[in-house]
Amino acid sequence: MKTLLTPSNKTARNDFGTYAMVIGLFVLVMILMGGGVLNSQMQGLLVPLCVYSIMAISLNLVVGVLGELSLGHAGFMCIGAFASAFFSKCMVDTMGTFPRFLFAILIGAVISAVFGLLIGIPALRLNGDYLAIVTLAFGEIIKNIINALYIGRDANGFHFSLNDAASMNMDAATGEIIVNGPQGITGTPSDSTFVIAFIVLLVSLIIVLNLTNSRDGRAIMAIRDNYIAAESVGINVTRYKLEAFMISAGIAGAAGALYAHNLATLQATSARFGYNMSIMFLVFVVLGGIGSMRGSIIAAIILTILPEVLRFMANYRMLIYSIVLIVIMIINWNPKSRAWIEAHGLKRILFHRKEKKGKEVA
């Protein structure tokens, strides 16, 4: 007698597969590191790989589960990075390494979530391209404000300025500049490790998957599928939209904290927290599969490692990278290629898709 595979069982098996994949990759990396197989370049990519995977999961919660397009997630990452780095720089001589870093991650996540609430209240009244434009503007505004901000500390307390460091009038003997405008924060403790980054990634994955499978998650997906129908049956659309947006922003802030504590100098540059970074996170989500957390992680890992692997090709490196992106997109979204993969039994490995009413939806 065959056991019927109900939607709840399918979801549980898919989630278990995602956890197993992430833990399996962690064990594999630890074995390779212990055996001295990974060179220094690849070891230096381990924390960024986790950071980008966390950002992909965070953005997929908004794009895939909530169904809204956000182009400002690098802004939430920037807020979490600078908030956590500021805390660590102030508490470096007061607290131990682990509790300081733990509080720094929590502070980065909480402050980013608060900004997610403040931005979400007006922005989530919009949809589609309008929301994308607002979130994009938010990310650019945050970056520019931080570049104009000067914060120092001396025996008299903290000093702030939006002009230059000299206008803060700090005591020359005891004064210390913490945030130095475009030069950012220098000397943030290098507390980020691959193990801690993996734990944050796993916790983020647990939060997102449990939210998706919860009552709130079903309400959020109902809003995504049909806004008017969800509102007509009594679902508080504003509340659930804000909940998803806040959680997503908080996870992005935690990723920013990991990112900040992996750099000697933290600067709010366009290369690190600008529009292109937000687009890169969106590429992870789209190529990995909208709504698929497992696919987002795989896409983030592959597309982060690929440019480093192709460095030997010098000027042709990004050309090959672009070609690979196009090929993956064609294979991922072409019905014939997906039918071939399904016929050869590879669909479960390569393409993890949510199913609704017995039909596969991308």
Side-chain angles (χ1 to χ4, degrees):
M1 182 177 178
K2 294 184 178 180
T3 303
L4 293 177
L5 193 60
T6 63
S8 59
N9 289 335
K10 287 182 181 180
T11 301
R13 289 181 59 176
N14 286 332
D15 291 351
F16 177 78
T18 303
Y19 294 135
M21 182 201 73
V22 173
I23 295 173
L25 288 174
F26 171 76
V27 173
L28 176 62
V29 170
M30 295 302 293
I31 292 174
L32 294 177
M33 288 179 62
V37 177
L38 295 181
N39 56 30
S40 58
Q41 179 186 9
M42 295 305 297
Q43 290 186 28
L45 281 176
L46 293 178
V47 173
L49 283 173
C50 292
V51 170
Y52 294 154
S53 297
I54 295 169
M55 289 301 299
I57 292 172
S58 168
L59 184 56
N60 212 341
L61 177 59
V62 173
V63 176
V65 180
L66 180 59
E68 300 289 356
L69 179 60
S70 172
L71 295 179
H73 249 55
F76 295 119
M77 181 181 174
C78 183
I79 291 171
F82 274 86
S84 62
F86 180 83
F87 172 81
S88 293
K89 191 76 183 291
C90 293
M91 305 299 291
V92 67
D93 297 325
T94 307
M95 301 178 66
T97 300
F98 180 75
R100 182 187 65 234
F101 189 37
L102 178 61
F103 276 106
I105 294 175
L106 293 176
I107 287 172
V110 170
I111 293 180
S112 294
V114 171
F115 272 87
L117 174 64
L118 297 177
I119 298 301
I121 290 174
L124 290 177
R125 297 178 182 272
L126 306 172
N127 292 299
D129 297 341
Y130 300 102
L131 177 62
I133 292 171
V134 170
T135 54
L136 172 63
F138 159 74
E140 294 301 310
I141 290 170
I142 287 296
K143 179 170 62 67
N144 291 327
I145 289 177
I146 291 178
N147 281 328
L149 184 62
Y150 295 85
I151 303 177
R153 180 179 62 170
D154 60 12
N156 298 319
F158 289 98
H159 302 264
F160 302 87
S161 175
L162 292 175
N163 297 319
D164 52 44
S167 62
M168 290 189 293
N169 297 321
M170 291 191 302
D171 185 356
T174 61
E176 176 190 15
I177 299 177
I178 301 176
V179 181
N180 193 16
Q183 298 181 30
I185 300 178
T186 304
T188 304
S190 300
D191 295 332
S192 291
T193 63
F194 173 60
V195 175
I196 296 177
F198 166 76
I199 293 173
V200 176
L201 169 60
L202 189 60
V203 171
S204 302
L205 189 60
I206 291 172
I207 291 173
V208 172
L209 289 180
N210 277 277
L211 172 65
T212 304
N213 299 327
S214 68
R215 180 178 179 273
D216 287 7
R218 290 190 291 272
I220 291 170
M221 287 185 285
I223 295 170
R224 174 198 65 191
D225 295 336
N226 194 316
Y227 175 94
I228 297 175
E231 193 171 34
S232 66
V233 296
I235 294 177
N236 190 331
V237 173
T238 302
R239 174 204 160 187
Y240 288 113
K241 276 190 170 184
L242 285 174
E243 179 182 352
F245 205 70
M246 282 182 62
I247 293 175
S248 177
I251 293 174
L258 291 171
Y259 189 73
H261 289 76
N262 194 49
L263 299 171
T265 301
L266 179 65
Q267 296 174 312
T269 61
S270 297
R272 290 177 177 172
F273 302 108
Y275 169 75
N276 289 335
M277 185 67 79
S278 294
I279 292 298
M280 184 181 73
F281 298 145
L282 185 61
V283 169
F284 295 158
V285 172
V286 173
L287 289 184
I290 296 176
S292 170
M293 304 305 161
R294 186 192 312 175
S296 296
I297 295 173
I298 294 173
I301 292 173
I302 293 176
L303 297 181
T304 303
I305 292 178
L306 188 60
E308 301 301 324
V309 174
L310 296 175
R311 278 193 180 275
F312 70 94
M313 302 190 70
N315 295 333
Y316 297 99
R317 176 169 63 104
M318 297 313 295
L319 174 63
I320 300 299
Y321 178 78
S322 302
I323 293 173
V324 170
L325 284 180
I326 295 172
V327 171
I328 293 175
M329 181 65 74
I330 292 174
I331 294 175
N332 200 354
W333 297 101
N334 187 287
K336 292 183 178 180
S337 63
R338 291 172 62 183
W340 184 89
I341 292 170
E342 182 177 0
H344 288 74
L346 299 176
K347 179 185 171 186
R348 287 186 178 274
I349 298 175
L350 298 181
F351 300 109
H352 170 62
R353 293 286 183 271
K354 299 273 184 177
E355 291 192 357
K356 181 183 177 183
K357 295 181 180 179
K359 295 183 179 180
E360 184 177 332
V361 292

